[in-house]
Amino acid sequence: MSSRQDNQQDPQRETIDNQRRTVLKGIGATAAVASAGIPAMAFAQGADEYGPASISADGYTVTDSYFGKAYIDKDELRERPSPHRFIHGGFENTDTRFAFYFPKTMSYQGRMFQPLEGGHGGNEVTFGGGMLGEMFQRIALSERLGGYMVESNQGHIGDNLDPRAGDDPGLYGWRASAESARFSKFVAAQVYGKAPHHAYVYGGSGGGRRSPMCLENAPDVYDGCMPSTSGGEIAEPGNNKKVRSGGPIGFGQMFNVQRVLGKAKLIKVSDAMAPGGSGNPFEGLNTHETEELARLYRLGFPRGNESMILEPMGQIWLWTSIADGLQTDDPEYFADFWSKPGYVGHDMPQLVEKDLINATATVKRVLSGRDINESPEFAGPEYQTMRIFAAMIGGAGPAYDMPYAIELEGVGPGYRLGSGVKVLTGKAAGRQLYTTGIAGDVFAGDGHGNANLLRYTGVEPGDKVQVDNRSFLAFCYYARHHVIDERQFDSLLVDNQAIYKQHPVPYMSPLMGNCYSAQYKGKLLWIHHTHDSSVWPANGLLYSGAVAKIQGEEAAAKKFRIRWTENAEHGPPSIVPPEPNRASNTRLVDFTGIYEQSLQDLVDWVENGVDPLGSNYSYADGKIILPETADERGGIQPVVKVTANGGARADITAGDTVTLAVDAAVAEGAGTIISIQWDFDGAGKFPVSQEGVDGKQRALTLKTSHRFDKPGTYFVSALIHAHRQGDVSATRQRVANVAQARVVVS
């Protein structure tokens, strides 16, 4: 994929960056360097609690000579997301900005924690403020673990490259994060009287992609690392190579299954794979539909999460981010798909021609994220994913009012998701976006560079746009022609030869960092989710296998663990759309407690030599297979099974009572069961707590009953929590799992 170097040469860069600082979440990092020492606000009465009144950057010498002098431009007390001293600044002559969050001095036990933002990064206040700060409460988590928190924008502002570094994946992958962490230790010594004795870096998704690079390349900074839901290519130590990735390749296959099967058939597929279903997702599909779905499974899409094929979120964002780059770096593929033998667009045009769009349309109106979320007109279920996206992007900040979507007239029939929308007239003429969400004639859009920054800013009713989905339809068959050397692509090979004509595998943006080496000091605890539809489970195999191969099995046993989280998506259930008859939190778990306990376990591993529990698993045909019993499976998550009248499905008549049973257990050393809650109607409220749970047992088999008075299909769910100390009143480090049975009432 091409770099975003083109954005650096934009003569309006300064104007664009100033707009970005207003629009993007987080603190707008000013280019003006403030004085080295800035008196803190409101420290007259709080000096003892939050350190001395004045903090200085004087005397700090950078380790990485790329970075200019460190500066501080904010130093103040803040109450939200939890009380802390907030210090913000950057390094001269770079785009690198940082934010440090220091809780009260009395809580400090000598540790530093650095969460890395997902996606491409680009914001230095992600977990320290706004919606994600309130949602994840990571400042408070750092305080409970005896430390302070560090964030950086990972070397760049928004999606723009640093103008001096350009296309340098190492800067964005680890160098900016590491230098920010080094300076935080210098500042911590002033705030707390001593620098931290141990430092930990962690993150999910894009942050999980980059956090191992920090551990690998900056052993002077970090002692432990906890990446989650990520993966990437392995190369030699010290490399500065961009990463080839199978992630976006698989997404094309996912989009194709959505397009080919359509909503009605995908709902049936999802129902077949849900508890109490037939277990046969191919029933009722034609040959092409069957082949495309089977290929998706073999590429690693998680079984049991098929409803997310209908509701792409991070996957469609990634398409908008890389679409221009893919077409620039591999124009032959996007031309050959339609014009040469060996490609579906040429050989079997009937499979795509009914979905083609290439039309000039007129803008009817422009809509903000606030419009989509707060106007009753957009309250219907067809707008739900669009609403979630708008809220995540804008939060409560200025981006909430940014032009986020347009309503069009004259598009005509065809497949609209992913289609390119190029503005032809008006103030925004020439801007290229791609469709992240579609409902009726409303098109939500995103893109890379200035398109990501501005979206539909400047577009007005009456403007003309070109809607063209030819590149997206070609992308739907991309996996066949871009095979990467990873296990999940084995189904596209015969005798180690690719079945289809091949094109160069694309590179990730340099903002995703450089290739792993799997060589590191310290300890690494990898977290991956079995139902992650954005970073598929097979990606969790890449680093694990590399550590064992490169460092050896003995070293891997001492320095690496992987934990599988069953029934967890890429994000919390609250951002996942519901399925028919069941809310998202009845089938997916909130993994917050698992992260918190795992971070505590990482600290104990690094500092006290306490080996963390890892998960046992196997892999076949694109699927991660976990053992059925807790002691065989290992890890820290409960293993749960629910039955209705003794089976996965109970068929009854209205007014009948069903006997429900739950079996729950945790592996030895993982604690005990502290709660079992029931949800009988799929609403996700879990109103009934199971009696007989006292926090003393690590394995329980319990029963309850429920009468169903109205006809319908009900997914009865049991939500189980375990806790390491068996504390039934605990509010933190509650490790969750969930299981369901189906009740059909006639």
Side-chain angles (χ1 to χ4, degrees), residues 670-692:
T672 59
I673 305 297
I674 61 169
S675 72
I676 299 176
Q677 297 166 277
W678 289 98
D679 181 279
F680 301 119
D681 60 4
K685 296 181 180 179
F686 294 95
V688 177
S689 294
Q690 176 75 52
E691 295 181 357

Side-chain angles (χ1 to χ4, degrees), residues 209-478:
R209 155 102 268 281
R210 294 181 290 274
S211 54
M213 286 181 283
C214 294
L215 186 69
E216 291 177 355
N217 294 288
D220 62 311
V221 181
Y222 303 104
D223 303 284
C225 175
M226 193 182 79
S228 65
T229 59
S230 198
E233 188 180 5
I234 311 296
E236 69 280 357
N239 77 85
N240 198 37
K241 298 177 179 177
K242 289 191 292 183
V243 183
R244 284 186 288 262
S245 172
I249 300 174
F251 291 166
Q253 185 67 30
M254 174 180 165
F255 296 139
N256 208 33
V257 169
Q258 185 202 66
R259 180 189 69 89
V260 171
L261 270 66
K263 183 175 182 178
K265 289 186 177 180
L266 273 172
I267 288 175
K268 291 182 179 179
V269 168
S270 181
D271 184 72
M273 298 298 282
S278 69
N280 179 11
F282 306 108
E283 187 175 358
L285 303 184
N286 65 31
T287 300
H288 185 54
E289 293 164 349
T290 297
E291 290 173 345
E292 291 306 296
L293 179 58
R295 183 173 288 113
L296 179 66
Y297 283 140
R298 291 183 182 127
L299 284 171
F301 188 86
R303 279 74 152 175
N305 202 24
E306 289 80 5
S307 65
M308 290 305 294
I309 302 172
L310 279 169
E311 302 287 354
M313 299 180 74
Q315 307 93 335
I316 196 66
W317 164 79
L318 187 60
W319 160 248
T320 71
S321 172
I322 66 176
D324 287 346
L326 293 179
Q327 294 170 78
T328 299
D329 287 358
D330 191 3
E332 291 82 7
Y333 171 74
F334 290 92
D336 292 352
F337 179 82
W338 301 101
S339 61
K340 291 186 177 180
Y343 302 86
V344 165
H346 176 274
D347 297 346
M348 292 176 281
Q350 71 277 10
L351 297 179
V352 290
E353 59 189 6
K354 65 181 176 62
D355 288 327
L356 273 170
I357 303 174
N358 187 15
T360 301
T362 303
V363 177
K364 185 176 179 180
R365 56 177 168 166
V366 181
L367 301 162
S368 68
R370 186 183 301 277
D371 293 330
I372 297 294
N373 269 286
E374 299 183 9
S375 171
E377 180 181 355
F378 306 109
E382 68 272 25
Y383 293 98
Q384 176 150 329
T385 301
M386 201 179 291
R387 291 195 299 266
I388 292 172
F389 246 127
M392 291 175 62
I393 293 167
Y400 201 41
D401 293 303
M402 171 188 268
Y404 164 72
I406 52 176
E407 185 176 4
L408 296 177
E409 294 178 315
V411 176
Y415 188 80
R416 297 178 173 188
L417 185 70
S419 58
V421 179
K422 187 170 185 178
V423 184
L424 300 178
T425 64
K427 298 176 183 177
R431 191 179 306 153
Q432 176 70 65
L433 294 96
Y434 295 87
T435 304
T436 58
I438 184 73
D441 290 321
V442 175
F443 290 66
D446 201 350
H448 90 271
N450 294 347
N452 167 258
L453 165 67
L454 298 173
R455 311 273 175 135
Y456 286 111
T457 300
V459 176
E460 298 177 351
D463 285 347
K464 300 293 184 181
V465 300
Q466 190 73 19
V467 182
D468 183 350
N469 71 348
R470 287 173 295 179
S471 61
F472 184 77
L473 292 177
F475 182 62
C476 285
Y477 291 91
Y478 199 79

Side-chain angles (χ1 to χ4, degrees), residues 147-186:
Y148 67 92
M149 190 175 88
V150 173
E151 288 193 277
S152 82
N153 65 357
Q154 299 173 64
H156 58 100
I157 298 171
D159 264 6
N160 279 349
L161 300 179
D162 181 301
R164 188 158 61 90
D167 195 0
D168 183 346
L171 174 69
Y172 314 116
W174 64 274
R175 289 169 56 202
S177 296
E179 197 62 42
S180 297
R182 293 186 185 102
F183 182 58
S184 85
K185 296 182 179 183
F186 178 85

